[in-house]
Amino acid sequence: MSTEHLDEEMRDVFQEIANVAMGRAADLLARLLNNYVVLPIPVVNLLERNELKMALSSLKSVDSVSAVCQGFVGSRISGEALLIFNDTSFQDIAELTEFKGDITPDIELELLMDIANILIGACLKGLTEQLDVSFSQGQPVLLGQHLNLQDLINNQTGNWKRALTIEIPYRLESRNVDCDLLLLFTEDSLAVLESKVRFMLE
């Protein structure tokens, strides 16, 4: 796997690994909210930073988003998980968690962090088990609430220029809830990831 392109075999394997990890995360979310989670096929790419917005296929037409970022590092692999949440989702999430009362920005933040902890934590755990690696996770960081998607991307933390990206869109059936979990692996991590995957294929 070069830093210029991702060959089909590697893409397929990363897609399958992500599929297993996202399924575990979706199961936890479905149990918490007592609602079926619709899971499309994860999208795997090598992207430049300025191509990030194009990767967020399920949120392209969204007017306002809130987002959380959490870094991870271990086994010579580093990256960050970015959860971007459609702001129209908060009302339904509040109903599903049986929250009573006004949905203030603080309540929205609490709901956002709860969802982020579930999806990011479970996804990374699924990846570490399959790749036989160990990640230390940083503290989740709020990137912003009620932002335009482009403003969010412009303000996104980290100094990466090119990354292996795994986009996992989550949507709840019969509910106006959707978010994108984007896993970004730094360019320096690609060789280690490839060796892990090659070992799995043997």
Side-chain angles (χ1 to χ4, degrees):
M1 178 170 58
S2 75
T3 57
E4 295 301 320
H5 67 277
L6 189 63
D7 67 54
E8 282 301 314
E9 184 181 36
M10 287 291 102
R11 188 189 306 275
D12 289 346
V13 175
F14 280 120
Q15 198 171 69
E16 183 56 37
I17 290 171
N19 204 44
V20 172
M22 71 187 251
R24 294 184 184 184
D27 182 61
L28 285 177
L29 186 62
R31 290 171 188 270
L32 172 70
L33 300 177
N34 194 29
N35 202 99
Y36 181 72
V37 179
V38 180
L39 289 176
I41 297 172
V43 181
V44 180
N45 277 307
L46 272 174
L47 292 181
E48 301 286 347
R49 191 184 184 98
N50 60 9
E51 296 174 316
L52 184 56
K53 184 178 180 181
M54 291 185 290
L56 299 170
S57 57
S58 71
L59 294 176
K60 281 180 180 176
S61 60
V62 171
D63 293 328
S64 176
V65 297
S66 298
V68 173
C69 178
Q70 187 170 18
F72 56 89
V73 63
S75 305
R76 295 182 294 128
I77 298 169
S78 61
E80 56 188 35
L82 179 63
L83 183 71
I84 304 178
F85 206 73
N86 181 351
D87 280 339
T88 62
S89 304
F90 284 115
Q91 183 63 50
D92 280 41
I93 288 291
E95 290 177 10
L96 289 167
T97 55
E98 299 183 352
F99 172 79
K100 308 295 183 185
D102 295 331
I103 305 176
T104 64
D106 286 344
I107 295 299
E108 289 181 346
L109 178 58
E110 186 178 327
L111 293 171
L112 177 65
M113 286 297 185
D114 286 346
I115 300 299
N117 283 333
I118 291 170
L119 293 183
I120 294 173
C123 249
L124 289 180
K125 188 172 188 295
L127 292 177
T128 60
E129 290 174 354
Q130 294 178 84
L131 294 171
D132 192 25
V133 296
S134 178
F135 290 147
S136 296
Q137 295 173 226
Q139 289 296 316
V141 176
L142 176 68
L143 296 182
Q145 290 177 272
H146 310 302
L147 297 176
N148 174 276
L149 184 58
Q150 187 58 58
D151 289 340
L152 171 67
I153 290 170
N154 291 341
N155 296 336
Q156 206 240 326
T157 57
N159 56 6
W160 63 276
K161 294 181 179 179
R162 186 177 180 86
L164 173 70
T165 65
I166 301 175
E167 182 199 2
I168 305 172
Y170 287 91
R171 181 172 61 82
L172 297 189
E173 187 176 62
S174 304
R175 288 283 183 168
N176 189 30
V177 176
D178 57 271
C179 60
D180 262 43
L181 176 60
L182 198 66
L183 301 176
L184 306 166
F185 294 89
T186 62
E187 202 165 356
D188 293 342
S189 305
L190 298 184
V192 181
L193 286 168
E194 181 175 18
S195 68
K196 293 286 184 183
V197 169
R198 295 288 183 198
F199 182 78
M200 291 173 60
L201 293 174
E202 291 177 356

